Amino acid sequence: MTTAAPTRTPAPTPERPRATVDWRLRFAFLSLVWGFSFLLIKVGTEAYAPFQVTFGRLLFGTLVLAAAMAVKRERLPRGARTWGHLTVAAFFLNALPFSLFAYAELTIPSTLAGICNATSPLWGMALSLVALSEDRPTRVRVAGLGLGFLGVLTVLGAWQGFSGLDASGTVMALLASLSYPIGWIYVRRTLAGTTASHLSLTGAQLLLATVQLALVTPLFTTLPSSFPVLPLLAVVALGVLGTGVAMLVQYGLVSAVGPTTAQMVTYFIPVIATAAGVALLGESLSWSTPVGAAIVLAGAALTQARPRT
């Protein structure tokens, strides 16, 4: 209920409703494409080696960002120091986690991979306490960290000795989730004052990750004798939508609503990944998976809490 205002000279607010709808649509798009990414990885690895899936993902994602840079007439960043830091960032934020998730899904369901991805905020909070002096721990955040890892143990079925669980695949998925905060902390400490645009830095980062996979893939894989259509389309969609377009949308979302709201998309990814894996791939789902995932997400949300000022 608002107080009455003069009707002759109302305050002009024509763009606010459209902006609200706009960011919500982008938020939903990010949740869907990143949630379905784990299904696309699973489909892609049915015909292609994990490194090949990752290379294709990075290649098509880079092409999308290159096209966006051409449209906006953006140039790649300059300076050997910047490129050196971006090389490290490309490894920890793209090449390593993308490859680990692809290898993990050879032996674990896409639903479990999606839930493991939700542990990134937990790893990030734990690492920031050590690496970022300005990130002070609070009781709520420490409680969230403990709650989150309790959820991980629930998902993995710790009370029954992790029976029926592929240890190597699960460890690789958890390491992939750990790689993201390592990369972001590194970027925060080394590239915070860079004058290049976000699009320019992201495009260079993906380009470097693509080069890294281009060097590694031939050493560990052989050229496929055939190219099945469905897995190939999955890799293309993973690169174009789940990597290239998603990064552009994420940048716009952060600009529109800020990083705190934008990062909440992390909490919807495992829900969509689980629904997609069960509905489209026929993956089994025990009671501990959704219950543990809910505990993980609750813990992750608490680790992002900031003290009121």
Side-chain angles (χ1 to χ4, degrees):
M1 193 75 171
T2 58
T3 56
T7 57
R8 295 178 62 184
T9 56
T13 56
E15 294 185 354
R16 291 184 63 85
R18 192 176 71 176
T20 301
V21 173
D22 184 51
W23 82 257
R24 288 176 178 174
L25 288 175
R26 285 182 281 178
F27 188 96
F29 173 81
L30 273 183
S31 301
L32 285 172
V33 295
W34 278 341
F36 269 88
S37 291
F38 297 95
L39 179 147
L40 295 174
I41 292 172
K42 192 73 169 180
V43 175
T45 53
E46 290 178 354
Y48 307 107
F51 275 140
Q52 293 170 345
V53 171
T54 304
F55 173 69
R57 174 182 189 175
L58 290 169
L59 176 62
F60 288 110
T62 301
L63 292 176
V64 171
L65 290 186
M69 291 179 63
V71 170
K72 295 187 176 183
R73 297 183 179 180
E74 291 270 2
R75 293 183 178 181
L76 290 172
R78 299 178 179 179
R81 178 179 174 275
T82 298
W83 279 90
H85 290 317
L86 285 173
T87 300
V88 178
F91 177 74
F92 283 109
L93 291 174
N94 304 115
L96 180 61
F98 291 0
S99 299
L100 285 174
F101 273 125
Y103 269 101
E105 291 199 40
L106 291 177
T107 55
I108 67 172
S110 64
T111 54
L112 179 56
I115 293 171
C116 287
N117 180 76
T119 63
S120 277
L122 304 178
W123 296 117
M125 186 264 181
L127 290 173
S128 66
L129 297 180
V130 177
L132 300 175
S133 58
E134 68 271 21
D135 232 352
R136 300 298 181 186
T138 63
R139 291 182 180 180
V140 172
R141 299 183 71 195
V142 172
L145 184 63
L147 183 64
F149 284 110
L150 176 63
V152 173
L153 294 177
T154 303
V155 171
L156 303 182
W159 66 92
Q160 54 187 4
F162 307 105
S163 61
L165 184 72
D166 183 81
S168 61
T170 305
V171 169
M172 283 191 285
L174 290 173
L175 288 176
S177 303
L178 171 61
S179 181
Y180 289 124
I182 291 175
W184 283 119
I185 289 174
Y186 180 84
V187 167
R188 183 172 171 180
R189 293 175 70 94
T190 60
L191 292 170
T194 305
T195 56
S197 70
H198 181 278
L199 178 58
S200 175
L201 292 173
T202 305
Q205 178 184 309
L206 270 192
L207 175 62
L208 288 167
T210 304
V211 172
Q212 291 170 3
L213 262 294
L215 296 174
V216 170
T217 301
L219 300 177
F220 296 94
T221 65
T222 57
L223 190 66
S225 57
S226 62
F227 295 86
V229 175
L230 185 59
L232 181 59
L233 290 177
V235 173
V236 173
L238 186 62
V240 172
L241 296 177
T243 306
V245 174
M247 285 188 169
L248 294 176
V249 173
Q250 182 192 34
Y251 172 59
L253 186 63
V254 170
S255 300
V257 299
T260 301
T261 301
Q263 74 181 359
M264 291 182 66
V265 72
T266 305
Y267 309 132
F268 291 86
I269 293 173
V271 177
I272 295 171
T274 300
V278 172
L280 300 179
L281 296 179
E283 296 177 347
S284 60
L285 188 68
S286 63
W287 68 267
S288 61
T289 301
V291 171
I295 298 174
V296 168
L297 295 177
L302 290 176
T303 63
Q304 303 305 301
R306 294 292 185 270
R308 295 182 179 180
T309 59

